[in-house]
Amino acid sequence: MLSTKFAIPDVIFGRGAITHLAQCAKRVGAQRVFFVSDKGVEDAGWVGLVKGILRANGLECVYFNDVNSNPRDTQVQQGVEAYREGECDVVVAIGGGSPMDAAKGIATIVGNGGEIRDYEGANRIMRPLPPMIFIPSTAGSSSDISQFCIITDIKRRVKMSIISRSLVPGISIIDPQLLVTQDRSLILASGIDALAHAIESYVSRLASPFTELHARNAIRLIIDNLIPAAEDKDIQALEQLSIASTSAGMSFSNAGLGDLHALAHALGGVCDVLHGWVHPTLLPSVMRYNMPSCMAKMGDIGRLIALTDTASDREAAHMGIERLERLFGELNLNTKLRELVPEKSDLEQICATATYDACHLTNPRPASAEDLMSICEEAW
Amino acid sequence: MTAATTLSDLIGIEHSKLGFFQELQQTVTKLQQSNRELEEQRREIAAIIDGITDVMMVLSEDLRILSVNNEFHKLFPEGNPIGRHCYELFRHSGIACPECPAFRSISTNTVCKETAVFRIGDCNHQFEMLASPLKSPGGEENRVLIFKRDVTMEKELQAKYYQAEKMATVGTLATGIAHEVNNPLMAISGYAEGIQRRLKKYAECMPEDVAREFVDYTETIIGECSRCQRIVRSLLHFGHPETSIFGVVSLNDIIRESLTILGYHLKKSRKISLKLELAEDLPFIFADEPRLKQVMLNLVTNAMDALDGMEGVITVRTRLEGETMVVMEVEDTGTGIAPAIMDRLFDPFFTTKSMGKGIGIGLATCYGIIKDHDGDIDIHSVEGEGACFKVTIPIQLEKETDAVSLSCACCR
């Protein structure tokens, strides 16, 4: 039997948890904090809040916000220069997946040198990184929990997956109150990303009892709370989404993902689309493709999503997938791949690239580029 | 990208979050190692610095002592010099010395040399100083590295050499002149004596007053001739310093003979009156007569120069001090000596005289001669009121027996 492993950061959770930032930073030796975020989080006012907390506690800070929704290798390099110039010691990031992944990339180069593409793949990071403290402002990417870092290689038009235990931050401060400033579409995009994390990691080839528990927990919480959180910005529902996202993060960080994310990464390298928007178009097709290899688990997922207690795994699985498609429809989300990929001719390249992605390895059913192509055809 | 990633890579059992512990341990080990090496280097450098036989100091911009080597502690055994001003220790002064090479070195950023004399304890030391700027790269305060080499001995030897050279030249000249003058003198006094002999015979044939005048004139000629011969003799003596030898001498006689040589100069300057206060009961001393004459000549010449054309008195005095010492004092009522240069008077080549009047080795030579006699020279002076040079010499008659064996055949 394959041994598995479960690694997560210190998680500080609760409304107002952000106020512990300064003491956490000092605890890991901060004097000059390298602070990463982006324009959206700035506009929501959270950047100002963090700067205020640091200043009030006598911590200097170098602020870096040159981060896209899909962070680029060039931006990482600029961040590294800013870090070195500022002689910083601790990395703090607040935001969605992009600022956190950018921060991970910067920390990797600061600790190890070279360029970010040198670390593409698993376990290529050989030297320690500066301490990292992450504060997620969305309930989705779970970059604050995971050992994954996704950076776009501009020249190759590829989203690189960098996987290392060293990329698990030291401390994750999860404050559900930060979610109230998000708009409906961001709540949905990140919520569905978290759902995809949970579903893919549940059926992953590396799933373990420890990850399955969290995956199931995440699926249930997202199905129950996604609509009230997005439509009403109900704080209770947002808090549950936060928990769901963290659970999904614990699951996928340790179990890995599948071809949905392999395709999403490949697609994101070609067209700069918000990561969460890829899932409604491809998730049902990928689930159908994987069903033969993991019928029992797909049945479990179906029961959780469709809230059915039907005995047959196959029936439950189909009901779950249909329920998901209905849900995306009700939420007016785009479910057609053609809306995202301007040229159908790009699909071949996207599928070929996806087979090299680390997420492709853990997909429960082996898939060739042609298999992936058939999935895309279905979602077109 | 390399496609080597496998499922077990993703699980990464053998990979864990990298901590700093191992690196820290390695760093600590490296630091300890480099610390040891640095300490060894420091010790080696300290040993080298302490092995330097020159006095070495590092000074701050305002001439405070920052660090010194072992040699410095030998010179100033008591107290910690760090933080004190260099001029406090070397000059006993509250202000920096005008000739200080450290300032020049800092301002010009070059290596500067200077020679100066410092009175340390009871002795004068002449130092060659070398100041090199230590510019610190961090833009901190500039510092100066000073080396001081004690060259007193070398300078004394040099001065003695010059003096010996000069005296040899003067001696040769004097001997030559003395021999040349001796012959006419013999002729003059011989003819004068011849006239006297004839006078006795022919005195009755001439008027009495004329005969009386002839007697007086010839006696004066003979008297003056014998005085000239004495002068010539002392010149001959003076001209052979290398034949000089310690012996039993009368200090008063030495003074009188020296003054004979200077007699003409003293008489020429009518403004100077010479007073002799010689103790009649002065015992003989064991000394080198020609060299003591040289001391006497130097001191009196100095006194005359100090009067510099003014009216004044030069008093030469001798007396017994205690039971073992004789004292000779040469006092003048001249310009006196400024306190600032008091310490430097005995330095070779130190002179206040104008160009061509002397090269400043007179007093240095005196000092050397008196030291050879185990004696001492002291100066008492009030600026504007004159100066008194006091030479103290031990009697030491018991050394006579040793000395005879040292004397050479030619001068016995």
Side-chain angles (χ1 to χ4, degrees):
Chain A
M1 184 199 154
L2 210 59
S3 302
T4 58
K5 192 168 172 178
F6 193 77
I8 58 167
D10 286 358
V11 176
I12 298 170
F13 180 84
R15 294 185 205 173
I18 196 170
T19 51
H20 298 294
L21 171 63
Q23 74 196 68
C24 289
K26 282 184 175 173
R27 186 88 190 138
V28 292
Q31 280 177 329
R32 269 169 87 76
V33 166
F34 187 70
F35 177 33
V36 185
S37 191
D38 64 15
K39 197 77 180 63
V41 187
E42 261 174 55
D43 292 343
W46 302 120
V47 169
L49 177 74
V50 168
K51 282 184 178 172
I53 290 172
L54 295 175
R55 195 169 45 241
N57 287 277
L59 289 171
E60 288 180 58
C61 128
V62 171
Y63 180 57
F64 182 75
N65 72 345
D66 187 11
V67 180
N68 272 41
S69 63
N70 293 306
R72 299 168 176 180
D73 48 1
T74 49
Q75 291 169 329
V76 167
Q77 210 56 45
Q78 282 160 14
V80 170
E81 276 157 35
Y83 183 102
R84 286 179 179 149
E85 202 172 306
E87 293 176 7
C88 302
D89 39 32
V90 166
V91 176
V92 168
I94 183 169
S98 308
M100 289 195 280
D101 278 357
K104 282 182 179 181
I106 292 163
T108 302
I109 309 285
V110 164
N112 293 264
E115 292 176 46
I116 195 64
R117 68 169 61 89
D118 302 340
Y119 304 98
E120 186 176 359
N123 307 322
R124 299 278 162 88
I125 296 175
M126 293 304 170
R127 289 173 58 81
L129 272 49
M132 294 187 285
I133 301 173
F134 286 178
I135 309 162
S137 70
T138 64
S141 75
S142 302
S143 185
D144 55 307
I145 303 291
S146 79
Q147 55 166 333
F148 284 65
C149 165
I150 312 294
I151 304 287
T152 305
D153 184 330
I154 292 291
K155 275 192 201 139
R156 287 187 291 146
R157 294 177 77 199
V158 172
K159 274 188 148 188
M160 299 179 285
S161 297
I162 299 154
I163 305 164
S164 166
R165 297 288 160 187
S166 292
L167 290 176
V168 178
I171 302 169
S172 167
I173 298 174
I174 301 165
D175 187 342
Q177 259 174 354
L178 299 193
L179 303 181
V180 298
T181 54
Q182 295 184 100
D183 58 23
R184 176 181 178 274
S185 76
L186 194 53
I187 293 173
L188 286 175
S190 46
I192 291 166
D193 191 22
L195 181 65
H197 291 156
I199 292 171
E200 284 213 293
S201 64
Y202 187 64
V203 297
S204 157
R205 294 172 69 182
L206 291 183
S208 74
F210 300 96
T211 63
E212 285 164 2
L213 180 77
H214 284 291
R216 288 170 63 96
N217 184 40
I219 295 168
R220 191 177 50 78
L221 287 175
I222 293 165
I223 294 300
D224 288 351
N225 294 287
L226 186 60
I227 292 174
E231 305 299 351
D232 308 330
K233 293 210 184 166
D234 179 67
I235 180 71
Q236 300 283 357
L238 284 170
E239 189 171 296
Q240 296 305 304
L241 270 195
S242 238
I243 297 167
S245 163
T246 308
S247 272
M250 293 186 207
S251 177
F252 92 79
S253 174
N254 293 286
L257 295 160
D259 276 329
L260 170 65
H261 270 83
L263 281 169
H265 292 154
L267 200 151
V270 175
C271 33
D272 194 13
V273 56
L274 190 63
H275 179 65
W277 291 147
V278 182
H279 305 323
T281 65
L282 281 170
L283 181 57
S285 311
V286 173
M287 285 170 81
R288 280 195 195 96
Y289 175 79
N290 282 340
M291 214 190 296
S293 300
C294 49
M295 192 56 85
K297 280 190 169 180
M298 278 296 177
D300 289 344
I301 294 169
R303 286 181 199 101
L304 283 170
I305 293 175
L307 303 172
T308 169
D309 51 3
T310 179
S312 153
D313 287 334
R314 176 180 295 275
E315 209 172 314
H318 278 293
M319 282 173 75
I321 293 166
E322 281 157 20
R323 167 83 174 89
L324 269 186
E325 282 173 326
R326 269 207 310 282
L327 181 68
F328 295 151
E330 281 165 25
L331 289 168
N332 282 323
L333 300 177
N334 163 50
T335 54
K336 296 294 174 206
L337 190 56
R338 73 178 69 148
E339 301 286 325
L340 301 179
V341 186
E343 298 291 334
K344 196 174 180 184
S345 54
D346 285 341
L347 281 180
E348 219 163 298
Q349 181 58 47
I350 288 168
C351 291
T353 309
T355 59
Y356 294 109
D357 194 285
C359 297
H360 175 66
L361 265 181
T362 44
N363 196 60
R365 185 177 168 192
S368 61
E370 289 72 34
D371 296 331
L372 295 180
M373 195 64 194
S374 70
I375 294 172
C376 292
E377 292 280 0
E378 190 189 313
W380 185 258
Chain B
M1 135 177 197
T2 49
T5 311
T6 63
L7 282 183
S8 67
D9 283 338
L10 291 182
I11 299 169
I13 295 285
E14 70 277 25
H15 294 276
S16 60
K17 188 162 171 171
L18 296 164
F20 286 89
F21 181 68
Q22 204 181 15
E23 188 167 345
L24 199 68
Q25 266 188 325
Q26 285 167 356
T27 313
V28 167
T29 314
K30 273 185 204 157
L31 280 176
Q32 282 171 338
Q33 171 70 18
S34 87
N35 205 22
R36 266 197 300 276
E37 285 168 11
L38 284 175
E39 179 61 18
E40 272 167 31
Q41 277 178 15
R42 192 194 64 77
R43 285 206 190 126
E44 197 179 320
I45 290 169
I48 291 170
I49 287 173
D50 284 338
I52 293 172
T53 51
D54 293 357
V55 171
M56 204 192 89
M57 307 183 285
V58 178
L59 301 183
S60 63
E61 267 174 334
D62 62 347
L63 302 187
R64 276 185 195 282
I65 297 172
L66 299 176
S67 62
V68 297
N69 67 346
N70 254 1
E71 205 60 25
F72 188 97
H73 291 297
K74 286 185 194 161
L75 206 58
F76 297 101
E78 67 287 316
N80 179 11
I82 308 298
R84 295 182 63 187
H85 283 113
C86 139
Y87 42 82
E88 279 175 47
L89 283 168
F90 283 94
R91 283 275 190 243
H92 318 287
S93 153
I95 49 160
C97 323
E99 79 273 20
C100 179
F103 283 136
R104 248 189 311 142
S105 172
I106 290 176
S107 57
T108 58
N109 199 20
T110 52
V111 175
C112 294
K113 278 184 184 172
E114 190 70 61
T115 309
V117 173
F118 301 105
R119 193 164 181 85
I120 294 162
D122 294 330
C123 304
N124 284 314
H125 291 261
Q126 183 161 25
F127 287 105
E128 246 172 39
M129 297 184 281
L130 195 77
S132 346
L134 295 175
K135 291 271 180 188
S136 33
E140 290 164 48
E141 196 192 21
N142 293 322
R143 292 165 303 156
V144 203
L145 176 67
I146 309 268
F147 280 101
K148 290 192 180 193
R149 172 170 298 175
D150 193 336
V151 291
T152 317
M153 196 78 112
E154 284 98 316
K155 290 288 175 182
E156 273 175 13
L157 289 172
Q158 210 175 14
K160 278 182 185 163
Y161 172 76
Y162 278 122
Q163 188 66 6
E165 191 95 322
K166 192 178 85 173
M167 295 317 289
T169 315
V170 171
T172 314
L173 205 64
T175 315
I177 292 169
H179 281 301
E180 290 302 316
V181 171
N182 238 353
N183 293 338
L185 277 180
M186 293 294 278
I188 293 167
S189 71
Y191 282 118
E193 281 167 12
I195 292 171
Q196 278 190 336
R197 278 197 301 275
R198 277 165 182 70
L199 261 181
K200 285 178 188 160
K201 240 187 248 174
Y202 302 109
E204 294 148 16
C205 318
M206 57 177 74
E208 197 179 329
D209 54 338
V210 175
R212 176 87 251 145
E213 275 177 349
F214 269 97
V215 170
D216 286 351
Y217 289 172
T218 50
E219 273 176 1
T220 307
I221 291 171
I222 292 168
E224 290 301 306
C225 274
S226 65
R227 203 160 73 84
C228 284
Q229 276 163 341
R230 278 203 306 280
I231 293 172
V232 165
R233 212 168 27 248
S234 42
L235 271 178
L236 279 173
H237 241 212
F238 187 72
H240 291 284
E242 70 274 16
T243 62
S244 69
I245 186 67
F246 276 70
V248 178
V249 295
S250 157
L251 186 58
N252 285 351
D253 286 353
I254 289 172
I255 292 169
R256 285 195 195 98
E257 281 181 35
S258 307
L259 289 175
T260 314
I261 295 173
L262 285 172
Y264 167 75
H265 286 285
L266 283 165
K267 275 184 195 155
K268 200 178 80 177
S269 163
R270 291 187 186 153
K271 292 175 180 172
I272 299 174
S273 53
L274 183 71
K275 255 167 78 182
L276 279 180
E277 296 176 4
L278 304 181
E280 290 309 321
D281 54 348
L282 204 64
F284 286 100
I285 57 169
F286 185 66
D288 181 342
E289 185 180 325
R291 294 178 74 208
L292 276 192
K293 276 186 187 163
Q294 198 183 328
V295 171
M296 180 62 199
L297 284 175
N298 271 328
L299 292 182
V300 176
T301 313
N302 246 8
M304 286 162 68
D305 289 338
L307 286 163
D308 195 22
M310 300 183 296
E311 279 197 16
V313 184
I314 295 175
T315 311
V316 180
R317 206 178 279 129
T318 54
R319 65 170 186 274
L320 187 62
E321 193 171 89
E323 290 186 353
T324 55
M325 302 290 228
V326 290
V327 170
M328 168 177 81
E329 282 181 341
V330 179
E331 190 176 334
D332 65 73
T333 54
T335 49
I337 301 157
I341 60 163
M342 190 73 98
D343 279 350
R344 307 180 60 190
L345 283 182
F346 293 109
D347 300 350
F349 307 109
F350 173 79
T351 181
T352 56
K353 293 171 191 169
S354 55
M355 195 72 163
K357 285 278 178 80
I359 58 167
I361 54 171
L363 282 177
T365 312
C366 290
Y367 187 81
I369 293 170
I370 297 304
K371 281 289 163 193
D372 286 347
H373 284 80
D374 295 331
D376 206 356
I377 301 190
D378 274 329
I379 312 163
H380 299 281
S381 173
V382 177
E383 205 176 357
E385 293 181 17
C388 176
F389 286 75
K390 177 187 169 191
V391 177
T392 314
I393 302 169
I395 298 169
Q396 299 190 101
L397 279 176
E398 66 275 15
K399 277 199 178 176
E400 185 187 357
T401 43
D402 306 340
V404 174
S405 59
L406 293 170
S407 55
C408 52
C410 66
C411 32
R412 261 183 224 157

